[in-house]
Amino acid sequence: MEQYEPDSLSAAQVAAIRRSLTSGRGALTRRSMLRAGGVGALTVGGLASLSACGIPPARREGQGPASIDDSAKEKTLAFSNWTEYMDVSEDEKSRPTLEAFAKRTGIKVKYTEDINDNVEFFGKIKPQLAAGQDTGRDLICVTDWLASRMIRLGWAQKLDASNLPHAYANLSAQFRTPDWDPGRAYSYPWTGISTVIAYNVKATGGKKVDSVTQLLDDPSLKGRVGFLTEMRDSVGMTLLDLGKDPGNFTDADYDAAIGRLQKGVDKKQIRRFTGNDYTSDLDKGDIAACLAWAGDVIQLQADNPDIRFSIPSAGYITSSDNLLVPAQSRHKTNAEKLIDYYYELPVAAQLAAYINYVCPVDGVKDELSKIDPELANNTLILPDKAMAKKSHAFRSLTSAEETAYEEKFAKLIGA
């Protein structure tokens, strides 16, 4: 565990965060405007608090007082999650999987949908974590870059593998070894978020679109192509198209990807860079083809049979939202039991049927088929082996890299 070096957010990073909150992943719409309503929660002051002086250094692992675990005597657990990220009964009065967990274990779960975006949530819990205090939360769900930061800071507890037999056995291979948490010592994914190519087959005249090269070079698509305002998605997909690994690339590789995208801008092949607002244009056919998030594609296809998707032969980008136990949480074992519970196949299937994002649990297809055969055969929810092999994660960045890369990307998209 390396000690944290204070790193303030640059102007480019703050701008990237605002883009994410207003129209990017922070504003993704799952079933009922997923994560909606959180954009305004992060004020300019809130951003400033994260970009001002650095966070106090975390203790190295093994230093300072260990977290006290009261799980044996307190059958309770506080779980903070995003909105619309948990199954709900048809009458919307209960959460079936959580209730079944409580009935089986006797552990009462205080479930709170208080994560609207990663930065705002981090601002909430940072003061307690920095002071070595309990946040009042035993389990949280945050996106990979924030999970990486919390682990690096020493603000997440190392998990006890003996309490996670189902999670250890059933975690899909594509999620097992992120560079920020090798072997998943501190985290387990709640769900995956895949970036694919989507197209309106009516708008393309029946033509399939299945590569970034086609998006950038096919003259029939000129002026009707969309890329994303999320740097890791647009640059990551372009790196793959250039034959580079998003998990292991150089500054020169990054610059080559930016240059490739810049040519698409200069010759007006790219209509615009968008957040999740591409969905309306794609649905209408104003955008013929674009980079898209898998969950959006599933929703669009439900209402428009002309919406198709493809996985480039070069591969695609997948990120994840992850479960962590914050430092000083007093119910770590209870939290581990809940993590493991959601890796049991019937439970994982029930959750996947509701949230419709990439399920990180291997072997869940038969159980999901019992609920909805169509969803069980949807590779955007359950990637088959061939698709999973094409999945790539964008590597962790140093603070200096993120500042430089976001500045170059902001210039590209005119942000």
Side-chain angles (χ1 to χ4, degrees), residues 82-383:
W82 301 82
T83 59
E84 297 292 332
Y85 231 6
M86 179 65 72
D87 58 299
V88 178
S89 61
E90 290 187 8
D91 62 9
E92 299 186 354
K93 293 182 179 180
S94 65
R95 296 185 173 92
T97 57
L98 281 179
E99 291 189 359
F101 173 79
K103 184 176 181 180
R104 182 201 295 183
T105 64
I107 299 171
K108 183 178 180 180
V109 181
K110 179 185 177 183
Y111 184 77
T112 308
E113 295 177 320
D114 62 344
I115 304 180
N116 294 310
D117 64 76
N118 289 284
V119 177
E120 183 260 351
F121 181 69
F122 189 48
K124 282 182 185 179
I125 63 177
K126 176 172 67 73
Q128 293 100 320
L129 291 169
Q133 299 172 351
D134 180 11
T135 66
R137 299 166 175 86
D138 303 299
L139 192 63
I140 62 175
C141 182
V142 295
T143 305
D144 42 20
W145 67 265
L146 181 53
S148 172
R149 174 172 285 195
M150 289 186 63
I151 292 169
R152 187 175 80 244
L153 287 166
W155 290 349
Q157 296 191 48
K158 192 170 186 178
L159 302 174
D160 184 347
S162 67
N163 291 328
L164 298 159
H166 295 95
Y168 182 82
N170 295 335
L171 177 60
S172 296
Q174 74 180 95
F175 294 102
R176 282 190 177 271
T177 55
D179 65 354
W180 46 269
D181 187 17
R184 291 290 182 178
Y186 293 86
S187 69
Y188 270 88
W190 181 250
T191 192
I193 304 170
S194 296
T195 304
V196 299
I197 291 177
Y199 60 99
N200 186 318
V201 71
K202 185 176 181 180
T204 64
K207 181 184 294 186
K208 181 179 182 179
V209 182
D210 60 4
S211 71
V212 170
T213 290
Q214 190 175 358
L215 288 175
L216 292 173
D217 293 340
D218 188 336
S220 71
L221 301 176
K222 184 174 181 178
R224 300 186 297 146
V225 168
F227 277 75
L228 294 166
T229 55
E230 294 281 353
M231 179 270 287
R232 288 168 175 80
D233 294 312
S234 286
V235 174
M237 292 290 281
T238 306
L239 282 167
L240 285 167
D241 193 68
L242 291 170
K244 304 298 182 180
D245 180 2
N248 183 24
F249 62 88
T250 65
D251 288 348
D253 295 333
Y254 183 89
D255 289 344
I258 290 291
R260 181 84 171 94
L261 289 166
Q262 186 65 59
K263 289 180 180 178
V265 172
D266 294 343
K267 67 181 183 181
K268 303 189 185 306
Q269 180 78 4
I270 297 174
R271 181 185 182 92
R272 63 191 181 101
F273 288 83
T274 73
N276 70 311
D277 50 329
Y278 66 82
T279 55
S280 177
D281 284 348
L282 181 63
D283 187 47
K284 292 184 296 184
D286 292 341
I287 285 180
C290 62
L291 296 187
W293 291 305
D296 290 339
V297 176
I298 294 172
Q299 293 177 47
L300 286 169
Q301 288 181 322
D303 298 316
N304 186 344
D306 292 328
I307 302 301
R308 311 287 171 83
F309 78 93
S310 64
I311 303 299
S313 60
Y316 66 103
I317 295 291
T318 300
S319 60
S320 56
D321 284 338
N322 308 274
L323 299 172
L324 287 86
V325 178
Q328 305 307 319
S329 158
R330 296 191 302 105
H331 306 103
K332 174 174 172 284
T333 299
N334 290 346
E336 289 166 340
K337 289 180 179 179
L338 186 65
I339 295 172
D340 195 61
Y341 169 74
Y342 278 101
Y343 274 78
E344 295 180 18
L345 301 185
V347 182
Q350 193 168 346
L351 181 66
Y354 184 83
I355 64 177
N356 291 176
Y357 263 67
V358 180
C359 179
V361 182
D362 196 26
V364 78
K365 185 172 184 177
D366 287 345
E367 293 293 338
L368 187 53
S369 293
K370 298 174 185 177
I371 301 171
D372 189 328
E374 186 175 346
L375 291 179
N377 290 312
N378 191 326
T379 54
L380 294 180
I381 297 175
L382 297 181

